[in-house]
Amino acid sequence: MLAATTGARAVLGEESEAISYRQPEVFEPANLKLPDGKRLPFGWKAFAVPAPGADKTPVLRWEGLPSGKETRFRLTIAIDIREENEIEIRLADSGEKLGVFDIRFAPVLEPFELLLDREQTGKLASEGITLVMTKGKLPVWFFAVEKDRPNSATLQPHLLFAKAPDPLAEFHDRVASPVCLQPWGWMNGCVLDGLHDLGKATGEARYESALQEHLGYFFDENQQLIYENPKSVPHDGIVSDIESTLPQAVIARQDPEHPVLEKAVKFWMSRRDEAGCVKDGSTTSAEGSYTIGYPMMVIGNQWQDEALIDLALTQIRRRRERLILDGDCWLRHHGGDRHSFRNWARGVAWYSLGLVRTLVECQAGPNVSDLHAEVERWADWVGGYQQESGLWNCFLHEDVPPDTSGSAGIAAALAMAVNHGLLPGEYRKTAQKTFVGLQDHLTPDGLLTGVAQSNRGGQALQESDYRVISQMGMGLMAQLSAALS
């Protein structure tokens, strides 16, 4: 049975000798209340930056900061955002503008940062800062300082000071900590798979400890699922959509009798079309390859349920039939000849991770030669779009900036396929090239930048150069790291 660790969590080291997080005192004169129907995750505390025109704005002050240092100022989103916001960071006394947080359609637990030079850091040390919203209609909520939670200081207001860091080592430290917590569903499922894979590949106990700790944030002592849906609305005990069932793969390995698995299977059965494809409404999505087919196969193996195993393979085959057209991979099929998001990197990652992971989990019995052939076709196709940087553009066939998360997922699938004999060894070099390229996008303390924002702002936002920090992307990079270990 999974351990419920909420309220009694092991402290996993947050700082190393190379990094230091300096937290402020936060003064919130507006003292706003949470929106009706919304809930903060994990019982954590938060403060709000009011909408434009407010008389009172939050003030943050530090004591005893190092002098003559460059730093990064960070805040982390606490309540889901469905609009575009700009928040100016100004010196509290003089009002001088230091920079802006450009926040667009941000999910919970997404960090934002502002790089400050030595002069700016010196002024901040003496004056403190205030946060003023200049664009947006609703208050923006950030996690507050809670000194009794030192193992998640990275997700609280802080200045980061770094000296001679090793970003890749810091990356693995952050992955093996609550810093990589994500909202329940596909986002934290990416992290859970990364933790599971790293633990298995390296034998290091810290990854299994972090995995258990992560799960403990979402279950009470009765194994009841406690979480908020993507709009920060409590959805305790409910399977909200097809993207929310990815974590069941890890849970099935940990505890095959966990009650959340039965709920997921019942949900899937209620969402099948006449061809056996589990989908949301009339839409068949690439996400379902990874968030349905793969966990369904894991559960089917654990339960020794041949019908469920066959249905898992059906999820992959139906998506191959509906989403692969003339070699291209579409994120969604809306029925008929209507498709959207052609060759979107993260959609390609969902399709390929589901395809490869489901085949890896598929034990002797079913004839899957057609899917083996699909892995070979997909690998040859996707390899042709890899950029010199090792990454893939956010839309593979377009001249747009790359997406580190989609790139990590695609490369992880390639490396896994090599490891399990589904592809020849030459593709390992393709995956290694990606892993090297991703390291150029790590912050000094190992957070992954260059991630295309959560897909809420439409195709135009994905095609733009707007990129964010994302622990979901770190989970995909952790899967790649494990597959290359």
Side-chain angles (χ1 to χ4, degrees), residues 91-124:
L91 293 175
D93 296 338
S94 66
E96 179 184 337
K97 177 180 171 181
L98 297 180
V100 177
F101 280 160
D102 180 5
I103 301 173
R104 311 182 200 178
F105 303 95
V108 175
L109 290 161
E110 186 167 276
F112 285 84
E113 69 176 11
L114 175 67
L115 277 61
L116 301 172
D117 61 27
R118 295 180 180 182
E119 181 181 359
Q120 290 173 318
T121 304
K123 292 179 179 179
L124 177 149

Side-chain angles (χ1 to χ4, degrees), residues 173-219:
D173 286 346
R174 299 291 86 71
V175 168
S177 81
V179 172
C180 270
L181 280 167
Q182 289 286 265
W184 179 260
W186 68 273
M187 297 187 79
N188 85 313
C190 292
V191 176
L192 295 174
D193 278 342
L195 287 169
H196 172 269
D197 293 355
L198 280 171
K200 187 175 180 181
T202 68
E204 294 184 33
R206 61 174 175 161
Y207 296 116
E208 177 62 26
S209 296
L211 173 58
Q212 292 298 328
E213 185 178 21
H214 276 231
L215 289 171
Y217 278 86
F218 294 99
F219 291 95

